[in-house]
Amino acid sequence: MSNKSSGRGRHPDPFGGGLRDLLRVPPGERIDLASYDPGAVPAGPGDKAAGLAATTTTGQRLAKLQERLYAAGTAGDRRRVLLILQGMDTSGKGGTVKHVIGHLSPAGCRIRAFKAPTAEERDHHFLWRVMRELPGSGEIGIFDRSHYEDVLVARVRDLAPRTRIRRRYGEINGFEESLAADGVTVVKVFLHISYDEQRRRLLARLDNPDKHWKFSLGDIEDRALWPAYRKAYELALERCSTAAAPWYVVPADRKWYRNWAVSRLLLEHLEELDPQYPKGDFDAAECRKLLLEGA
Amino acid sequence: MSNKSSGRGRHPDPFGGGLRDLLRVPPGERIDLASYDPGAVPAGPGDKAAGLAATTTTGQRLAKLQERLYAAGTAGDRRRVLLILQGMDTSGKGGTVKHVIGHLSPAGCRIRAFKAPTAEERDHHFLWRVMRELPGSGEIGIFDRSHYEDVLVARVRDLAPRTRIRRRYGEINGFEESLAADGVTVVKVFLHISYDEQRRRLLARLDNPDKHWKFSLGDIEDRALWPAYRKAYELALERCSTAAAPWYVVPADRKWYRNWAVSRLLLEHLEELDPQYPKGDFDAAECRKLLLEGA
């Protein structure tokens, strides 16, 4: 695996660092998703069992860093993280939230799933609704879908004039750049699954009545649009992978790898931020004395 | 322990059910908090180890019911849960969120900590800011502090005229009754710690520089107001424990009991709700055929 990354923090790790370098979409490069294998496990643990164990360990380290980030946020540190999850139906956006974010302290996470926009949301600029859900200082925000829907489904289903959609890529880049300048570490993850794996997952949902609520006829209709979606994703990845907010392509046919990779990506970013517990603005010895004397 | 409760669902449980009956503040009764022992473990597991194990088991059952609640919410079931946590500093509101809510799927939880109101919040009716943070259908909302601050700290620190504060109890009852009528199961928990236990916890924070961010001089100042806070809590508990939204007093000097009790209270309410996975509005056999034929 790549060893180019420098900002990997102080923890030695048996799986090495720098997953960011390996999965990042190089800014300005043309993307052909056919050349990305959704079943690959780049730099990953050897097998599923090792992957689950490593994800748990990574989760514990994430939780510690998250507490520091949160603590720093209470003392004026404006830094925060925004994890954006995009991918086709069944690619595992919800599962990633459950298995990666589930390791974190829930009070420090702000999770928002974006569905088809409401009438009020449509009445505003497409960035309006995401703006309102950004994480605060010290928080980790998680978007299950995002403003990228406005250049993905909007493009595939012609929900807006093509000229307007073309303008949006630049607006997104400007928006994300201003977030980065404001202290937001933006981590954009495309969960990349194959057409065949999606079929298997849809069939699995159909086979289990307790999973029927996750299924709709539209899921099958969307499969006919698979090539158009792939093209829309390629455009989003190549136009909006910037230095300020790069895209990462995570192979997602194997759930254990997907969870491991997203938790590693988060970890690498948090270790680079290296948040610190703030010092108190009080005299601890004096306070201790007051309490021991009966206060 | 009490065996009056009927809505305990179908799971047999070694610790029995009906914790609600035991911890509920009877509507209309006068409350003297001095008669509630913060170190008690009513109906709890025998010791800390058993408590931790039981909380994990309860958490797994909670997670399953939460998924059903969420699934039902996607199909028009308007029911949802709102857990309100109140208590003095160090009583463990944050710890409860971490150790109880941490077992749930984070995407289905909407957690909000209410701090001193902002200028915009003060410009509105005191219920305005909580109204905006209510859980949606199928969600579990968690308030770390709530509209009760407006009859607690507001009363103790004279932040509003006494006549206005007196009116608020009735407004809260009307508000919570309308929530209940709208499908919100309101679970109000007062985490009851002792004056001495708070001292121990504050000292522990002072002893650990990594915990200094949780401490402020105001914590010691507030201890001088302990009797006034207790009186304000007693009034809130006796005036606002209603049939639609009762208060529960959870002894909170032992963290393991506190976590166990809150998770049990949530479980009993969710088992009574007994949410069901919705049926799909599609022909599963037909969809399976389409997929297998190449869709």
Side-chain angles (χ1 to χ4, degrees):
Chain A
M1 69 173 288
S2 166
N3 272 313
K4 280 182 291 174
S5 175
S6 58
R8 294 203 303 277
R10 303 142 304 156
H11 299 279
D13 189 282
F15 299 106
L19 191 63
R20 284 187 292 180
D21 284 352
L22 208 58
L23 301 184
R24 184 189 296 113
V25 174
E29 236 170 62
R30 283 195 50 96
I31 294 294
D32 176 8
L33 278 175
S35 70
Y36 288 77
D37 177 6
V41 294
D47 57 19
K48 182 175 173 179
L52 296 178
T55 302
T56 299
T57 310
T58 304
Q60 288 159 351
R61 286 163 63 182
L62 272 177
K64 282 182 190 159
L65 286 160
Q66 178 204 17
E67 183 173 279
R68 284 171 182 266
L69 186 73
Y70 188 85
T74 64
D77 189 333
R78 287 182 59 81
R79 295 180 300 171
R80 64 206 85 175
V81 174
L82 174 62
L83 173 66
I84 294 177
L85 297 171
Q86 287 285 164
M88 298 293 288
D89 279 331
T90 78
S91 62
K93 301 181 289 296
T96 302
V97 171
K98 188 169 172 177
H99 295 287
V100 176
I101 304 307
H103 287 286
L104 303 181
S105 179
C109 297
R110 186 183 291 249
I111 302 168
R112 181 70 155 81
F114 290 97
K115 320 233 184 242
T118 63
E120 188 188 20
E121 288 169 351
R122 282 198 309 275
D123 194 40
H124 288 277
H125 187 270
F126 77 100
L127 293 173
W128 180 77
R129 66 175 185 161
V130 290
M131 208 76 99
R132 294 152 52 97
E133 302 289 344
L134 291 169
S137 298
E139 288 185 333
I140 297 182
I142 300 100
F143 284 178
D144 173 345
R145 305 186 188 273
S146 67
H147 44 288
Y148 281 95
E149 291 298 318
D150 295 282
V151 293
L152 294 166
V153 63
R155 189 175 207 282
V156 171
R157 295 210 175 258
D158 287 322
L159 304 182
R162 196 51 68 95
T163 51
R164 197 187 303 166
I165 290 176
R166 260 197 296 271
R167 199 169 56 224
R168 286 178 178 168
Y169 300 99
E171 292 179 304
I172 287 175
N173 289 343
F175 168 59
E176 291 176 352
E177 200 174 324
S178 65
L179 290 184
D182 192 37
V184 185
T185 296
V186 184
V187 184
K188 302 186 294 193
V189 171
F190 170 55
L191 300 176
H192 184 36
I193 59 161
S194 65
Y195 188 72
D196 286 342
E197 177 63 16
Q198 188 190 58
R199 175 187 292 116
R200 279 189 288 274
R201 294 186 184 181
L202 289 175
L203 285 169
R205 287 181 181 179
L206 288 170
D207 287 343
N208 181 353
D210 286 357
K211 304 273 184 203
H212 280 189
W213 65 279
K214 293 187 173 186
F215 185 91
S216 85
L217 263 181
D219 297 343
I220 293 182
E221 290 161 22
D222 265 1
R223 280 173 67 76
L225 300 169
W226 189 274
Y229 271 109
R230 189 169 61 188
K231 182 73 199 155
Y233 269 108
E234 286 170 346
L235 289 174
L237 293 171
E238 68 189 37
R239 293 184 185 174
C240 298
S241 196
T242 60
W247 269 107
Y248 301 95
V249 176
V250 169
D253 272 6
R254 297 170 207 241
K255 294 176 183 176
W256 64 264
Y257 178 80
R258 172 200 79 202
N259 292 337
W260 174 82
V262 177
S263 61
R264 285 292 315 179
L265 287 172
L266 269 183
L267 183 66
E268 289 178 10
H269 282 92
L270 274 165
E271 288 189 337
E272 187 175 55
L273 289 178
D274 196 21
Q276 298 297 320
Y277 287 114
K279 292 200 197 313
D281 56 353
F282 49 83
D283 181 336
E286 180 62 27
C287 290
R288 197 179 287 114
K289 193 154 155 271
L290 282 170
L291 284 167
L292 290 173
E293 283 168 355
Chain B
M1 71 173 287
S2 167
N3 270 312
K4 282 183 289 173
S5 173
S6 60
R8 295 203 303 274
R10 302 142 302 154
H11 299 279
D13 188 283
F15 300 105
L19 191 63
R20 284 188 293 180
D21 284 352
L22 209 58
L23 302 183
R24 185 189 295 113
V25 174
E29 235 171 63
R30 283 193 54 92
I31 296 293
D32 175 9
L33 277 175
S35 69
Y36 288 78
D37 176 7
V41 293
D47 57 20
K48 181 174 173 178
L52 296 178
T55 302
T56 299
T57 311
T58 303
Q60 288 158 352
R61 286 162 64 182
L62 271 177
K64 283 183 189 156
L65 285 160
Q66 178 204 16
E67 183 172 280
R68 285 170 181 265
L69 185 73
Y70 188 85
T74 65
D77 189 333
R78 288 181 59 79
R79 294 181 300 171
R80 66 207 82 176
V81 174
L82 174 61
L83 174 66
I84 294 177
L85 296 172
Q86 287 284 165
M88 298 295 287
D89 278 333
T90 77
S91 63
K93 301 180 289 295
T96 303
V97 171
K98 187 168 173 179
H99 296 286
V100 176
I101 304 308
H103 287 286
L104 303 180
S105 179
C109 297
R110 186 183 291 250
I111 301 167
R112 181 68 155 83
F114 291 97
K115 319 232 187 244
T118 64
E120 189 188 20
E121 288 169 349
R122 282 199 309 275
D123 195 42
H124 288 277
H125 187 270
F126 77 100
L127 293 173
W128 179 77
R129 65 174 185 162
V130 290
M131 207 77 100
R132 294 152 53 97
E133 302 289 345
L134 291 169
S137 298
E139 288 184 333
I140 297 182
I142 299 98
F143 285 178
D144 173 345
R145 304 185 189 271
S146 66
H147 44 290
Y148 281 95
E149 292 297 318
D150 295 283
V151 293
L152 293 167
V153 63
R155 191 176 205 280
V156 171
R157 295 209 174 259
D158 288 322
L159 304 181
R162 197 48 72 93
T163 51
R164 196 189 302 166
I165 290 177
R166 260 199 295 272
R167 198 169 56 225
R168 285 178 179 167
Y169 300 99
E171 292 179 304
I172 287 174
N173 289 342
F175 168 59
E176 291 176 354
E177 201 175 323
S178 66
L179 291 183
D182 193 37
V184 185
T185 296
V186 184
V187 183
K188 302 186 294 194
V189 172
F190 170 55
L191 300 176
H192 184 36
I193 59 161
S194 63
Y195 188 72
D196 286 342
E197 177 63 18
Q198 190 191 56
R199 175 187 292 115
R200 279 189 287 274
R201 294 187 184 179
L202 290 175
L203 285 169
R205 286 182 182 178
L206 287 170
D207 287 343
N208 182 352
D210 286 357
K211 303 276 183 201
H212 280 188
W213 65 279
K214 293 187 173 187
F215 185 91
S216 84
L217 264 182
D219 297 344
I220 293 183
E221 289 160 23
D222 265 0
R223 282 174 65 77
L225 300 169
W226 190 274
Y229 271 109
R230 190 169 60 187
K231 181 71 198 157
Y233 269 108
E234 286 171 344
L235 288 174
L237 294 170
E238 65 189 39
R239 292 184 185 173
C240 298
S241 196
T242 60
W247 269 106
Y248 300 95
V249 176
V250 169
D253 272 6
R254 295 170 208 244
K255 293 176 182 175
W256 64 265
Y257 177 80
R258 173 200 77 203
N259 292 337
W260 174 81
V262 177
S263 61
R264 285 290 315 178
L265 287 172
L266 268 183
L267 183 67
E268 290 178 12
H269 283 93
L270 275 164
E271 287 188 338
E272 187 174 57
L273 289 178
D274 196 21
Q276 299 296 322
Y277 287 114
K279 294 202 196 312
D281 56 352
F282 49 83
D283 180 336
E286 180 61 26
C287 291
R288 197 178 286 114
K289 193 156 156 268
L290 283 169
L291 283 166
L292 290 172
E293 282 168 357

